[in-house]
Amino acid sequence: MTMRFVASICLALGLLAAPSASAQSIEDMAGQMVMVGFSGTSLDDVGVRAVRDQVSRGEIGGVMYLRTNVESLEAVRAINRALVSARPWLPPFIALDQEGGQIERLTSAVGFGEIPSARSVARGTPDEARSVYGALAAELAGQGFNLNFGPVVDLDLNPDNPIIARYQRAFGDDPEAVSALAAAFVEGHHAAGVATALKHFPGHGSSRDDSHEGFVDITELWQPVELEPYRALIDADLVDMVMVAHLFNAEIQRGDADQLPASLSDAWIGDVLRDDLGFDGVVITDDLEMGAIRSRFDLHDTIVRAVEAGVDILLFSNTAEYDPALGAEISQILVAEAEADPAFADRVAQSYARIIALKRSVGILP
């Protein structure tokens, strides 16, 4: 008999007060904005216990896996069950990058069914892609995951690109074909109850450099056509999240003396994504421990700038200098800023509302 089933019986009999996803405090709301990586591969590991406790206390609303967290599928399922049971009335996002090809966290080495790269999938039809990604999502759901960081909708515009083209992560260079295949990815995941995140806004496919390594300026390279897959999928109501990359474009961010990456820029998130493209869903950053961020901003500055720019979920892989308490520290910074600044508190409340709406829409909330 599961803990959730026992709890439901107790609630029905009036033996427990029903917890609610409705926020009771700024702490509740801020915690949902935090997603972190962790160390460990089993329930007994200190890092796994740390994120479970942070979920339980409401300090974080999401956890992300890396390949180093996967020792066996049995252990993965056990961790994911523990994460959900830590706060069953408001389960966390449990996320990973499982694009296919070289970008995957679950592999055949642990018995998971691998799929081809996006470039290979693009040789088939959207219906075939929907079948491939539907099967992938069903396997992910079976392991307890509820969010896959994909599809990649970057256009394959630069054959020498070090992070998209190099790993065959793009469906192609034609925005209509990319949009159709990305829609198949999303629909396949939705059929299994798994949320998705379009990436890497506003487009990393034309860049010469890798934002993992440091500052990336796309001013002379980026093309407006790179927004078209976002526009098409937003118009089709197929976007759960948009993941924003750490890319600078002086043409869009006119007068930005700080040369902020898109992930910290209201010009991109507010003016382009929200106002121009009409996206009112969840905005998540790419990993905020990439070189493009860590080389220029400290933790406090990163958090405040991202939230003020319109970000809803702050993603930290927790790999640069591993800290089991990182999620709690990020949450504390959010709470302190919200208590000091009503405008910041309002932004936190807006993000919380979007996150809860998404968790309900994909069935994560019970």
Side-chain angles (χ1 to χ4, degrees), residues 9 43 65 107 115-116 131 174 189 232 240 254 257 313 322 326 338:
I9 292 175
L43 287 173
Y65 272 72
T107 69
I115 65 169
S131 177
D174 175 57
H189 281 69
D240 302 321
R254 294 182 184 277
I313 296 179
Y322 176 69
L326 178 62

Side-chain angles (χ1 to χ4, degrees), residues 8 43 45 83 123 129 145 189 209 275 305 318 323 330:
S8 68
L43 287 173
D45 289 329
L83 291 171
R123 298 189 184 107
F145 292 96
H189 281 69
D209 302 304
D275 295 343
R305 286 179 181 270
N318 203 0
D323 178 3
I330 297 166

Side-chain angles (χ1 to χ4, degrees), residues 34 36-40 45-55 57 59-60 63 289 316-330 332:
V34 183
V36 294
F38 62 98
S39 176
D45 289 329
V46 172
V48 175
R49 294 202 306 268
V51 288
R52 186 189 185 282
D53 290 345
Q54 288 162 24
V55 169
R57 294 191 297 264
E59 293 168 336
I60 64 175
V63 173
E289 293 194 334
F316 286 82
S317 66
N318 203 0
T319 55
E321 295 178 9
Y322 176 69
D323 178 3
L326 178 62
E329 184 179 357
I330 297 166
Q332 289 163 7

Side-chain angles (χ1 to χ4, degrees), residues 99 118 149-157 164 169-186 196-206 222-234 238-239 241-243 273 277:
E99 300 172 16
F149 292 139
V152 170
V153 293
D154 299 308
L155 300 186
D156 213 357
L157 299 177
I164 303 301
R169 300 172 71 187
F171 289 119
D173 58 6
D174 175 57
E176 289 189 15
V178 168
S179 298
L181 291 162
F185 183 109
V186 173
T196 59
L198 270 63
K199 61 186 186 184
H200 306 79
F201 181 86
H204 214 320
S206 57
W222 184 83
Q223 303 174 41
V225 71
E226 296 181 63
L227 295 178
E228 291 310 306
Y230 294 96
R231 192 184 307 277
L233 273 74
I234 290 168
L238 284 175
V239 186
M241 290 185 187
V242 171
M243 178 179 282
L273 184 56
L277 299 181

Side-chain angles (χ1 to χ4, degrees), residues 65-290:
Y65 272 72
L66 295 173
R67 193 177 294 188
T68 53
N69 301 123
V70 180
E71 189 171 79
S72 72
L73 294 182
E74 181 181 8
V76 166
R77 291 192 297 271
I79 293 170
N80 291 347
R81 286 194 298 268
L83 291 171
V84 171
S85 67
R87 201 173 181 85
W89 62 92
L90 184 48
F93 283 119
I94 305 176
L96 78 174
D97 289 284
Q98 194 75 17
E99 300 172 16
Q102 298 180 66
I103 310 301
E104 56 189 8
R105 308 304 181 220
L106 306 175
T107 69
S108 59
V110 295
F112 192 84
E114 299 183 44
I115 65 169
S117 68
R119 183 180 295 175
S120 295
V121 171
R123 298 189 184 107
T125 67
D127 284 342
E128 291 169 333
R130 191 174 296 104
S131 177
V132 167
Y133 292 123
L136 166 64
E139 281 202 78
L140 291 177
Q143 305 305 322
F145 292 96
N146 53 33
L147 171 60
N148 190 3
F149 292 139
V152 170
V153 293
D154 299 308
L155 300 186
D156 213 357
L157 299 177
N158 176 10
D160 297 321
N161 178 284
I163 192 62
I164 303 301
R166 178 181 179 184
Y167 298 106
Q168 301 183 17
R169 300 172 71 187
F171 289 119
D173 58 6
D174 175 57
E176 289 189 15
V178 168
S179 298
L181 291 162
F185 183 109
V186 173
E187 289 164 351
H189 281 69
H190 283 180
V194 178
T196 59
L198 270 63
K199 61 186 186 184
H200 306 79
F201 181 86
H204 214 320
S206 57
S207 74
R208 294 195 188 101
D209 302 304
D210 179 359
S211 53
H212 290 82
E213 303 300 326
F215 180 75
V216 177
D217 188 340
I218 57 172
T219 304
E220 303 298 326
L221 304 167
W222 184 83
Q223 303 174 41
V225 71
E226 296 181 63
L227 295 178
E228 291 310 306
Y230 294 96
R231 192 184 307 277
L233 273 74
I234 290 168
D235 288 348
D237 196 24
L238 284 175
V239 186
D240 302 321
M241 290 185 187
V242 171
M243 178 179 282
V244 185
H246 313 311
L247 307 168
F248 172 70
N249 187 326
E251 288 298 315
I252 301 296
Q253 299 164 242
R254 294 182 184 277
D256 180 0
D258 293 329
Q259 295 187 312
L260 295 174
S263 53
L264 308 184
S265 170
D266 178 62
W268 277 114
I269 297 171
D271 296 344
V272 178
L273 184 56
R274 298 287 190 205
D275 295 343
D276 180 24
L277 299 181
F279 182 60
D280 59 1
V282 173
V283 172
I284 184 170
T285 65
D286 206 342
D287 178 16
L288 289 168
E289 293 194 334
M290 288 183 183

Side-chain angles (χ1 to χ4, degrees), residues 352-363:
Y352 177 83
R354 292 189 187 106
I355 293 163
I356 294 301
L358 176 55
K359 286 187 173 182
R360 284 203 175 101
S361 72
V362 296

